Amino acid sequence: MKATIVHRLKFISNLSDNVRGVSFLTLALLTISLQTVAVKWISDDYPVLQIVLLRSLAALPFTLLLYRYEGGRGLPRTHQHRLAFTRGLFLFFSYTTFMMGLAALPLAEVGAIRNSGPLMITFLSVILLGERVGWRRWLALLVGFLGVLLIVRPGSTTFNPGSIFVLISVVLYALTAIVTRKLHATDSSATMAYSSTLVYLVAAAALAPLAVLMGETPDAHPSIAFLLRPWALPTPLDFAIMAGLGALWAAWMYFLARAYSLAQASVAAPFEYLALPIDAMWGFLIWGEVPTRLTWVGAALTIVSGMYVLYRERK
């Protein structure tokens, strides 16, 4: 009888933690969606590298606060410099190409392509790490990538090159996840965030002259124009928005860490797909964007296959 009561109390406690964890995950998704909306809002007036640089400057103090929150003292120091630098570069180019795609695509389409992230991580884990995957997961991967093709529609009259930049971003983010697995053995989350933000700053500053060297390209695709647009002095409101991106990023990091510290990963991970309806909501409310039927069908295929991959990995 006593054992049964203890078991029930443990079940209720786990259920409560999972609910709280999913709540924090939902907050994280809402927070990061605000960053996406802000970037798309100012993408017509400023170049992507200027936004990345100012956002990283604003984010750097928040990484130190996260480090203090973890109990660290002094400045964060990585124990694997090469891996930390590689992770930072992957994240920088992933974030930059994502924003370039964002300048040209509806929010729902960007979110639908981004849903292929878990599939890409599984695929690259097999290719690069030699992880073994059964035929069921291979089939799920094929279905998921078919969904991506339905969203991107290469070769069709509706094909938008901006989707290629989002796909590149997904691949780079998957590589980041693989590197993070190795780096997490020695570095805390805050240390990784700090080192990656430093790489962001250096990379953005190094590539800043690109716009001057290439010159204005008035007839360029919106994604390319976003990269090569001349730097401009931000208005007070736009400067606040760019600086606020750093605060949003720090809040996202905190909410995400809280989510996965409370809830079981197998319970919380499927809720990450809520990002798509959230993005679609903002796209419709702010820009009047209505996703196509093929976008919804492709998104459904990637979500179902991604959830099945998560299920198989849990087993």
Side-chain angles (χ1 to χ4, degrees), residues 152-292:
V152 176
R153 299 183 289 280
S156 70
T157 56
T158 57
F159 170 69
N160 189 325
S163 58
I164 299 299
F165 289 105
V166 182
L167 278 173
I168 292 172
S169 172
V170 171
V171 172
L172 290 169
Y173 188 78
L175 289 170
T176 301
I178 291 172
V179 173
T180 302
R181 289 182 187 179
K182 295 185 177 183
L183 195 58
H184 203 273
T186 57
D187 291 6
S188 68
S189 298
T191 300
M192 286 190 281
Y194 177 78
S195 57
S196 295
T197 304
L198 287 179
V199 175
Y200 270 57
L201 285 170
V202 173
L207 293 175
L210 192 64
V212 178
L213 294 173
M214 298 294 293
E216 280 200 74
T217 50
D219 298 325
H221 184 270
S223 296
I224 302 300
F226 193 21
L227 176 66
L228 300 179
R229 186 174 296 120
W231 286 43
L233 183 66
T235 64
L237 175 60
D238 289 345
F239 183 82
I241 290 174
M242 292 184 202
L245 294 175
L248 287 173
W249 175 85
W252 170 70
M253 284 282 292
Y254 173 75
F255 290 144
L256 198 66
R258 286 288 291 158
Y260 282 100
S261 65
L262 287 168
Q264 296 170 313
S266 57
V267 173
F271 285 89
E272 296 225 20
Y273 289 113
L274 285 173
L276 176 57
I278 291 173
D279 287 342
M281 175 192 71
W282 290 129
F284 177 75
L285 291 177
I286 299 174
W287 290 280
E289 298 168 350
V290 179
T292 66

Side-chain angles (χ1 to χ4, degrees), residues 115 118-119 122 137 140-141 144 266-274 299-315:
N115 277 341
L119 303 175
T122 301
R137 271 190 282 175
L141 288 174
S266 57
V267 173
F271 285 89
E272 296 225 20
Y273 289 113
L274 285 173
L301 288 176
T302 57
I303 290 173
V304 170
S305 56
M307 291 183 70
Y308 182 76
V309 166
L310 289 169
Y311 165 73
R312 293 300 302 179
E313 288 178 354
R314 181 184 178 188
K315 291 196 70 175

Side-chain angles (χ1 to χ4, degrees), residues 37-58:
V37 168
V39 170
K40 191 171 180 66
W41 184 268
I42 61 176
S43 63
D44 290 335
D45 301 314
Y46 305 97
V48 62
L49 292 175
Q50 182 179 4
I51 296 173
V52 171
L53 186 67
L54 290 176
R55 174 260 193 194
S56 301
L57 281 172

Side-chain angles (χ1 to χ4, degrees), residues 7 83 225 247 263 309:
H7 178 74
L83 272 183
V309 166

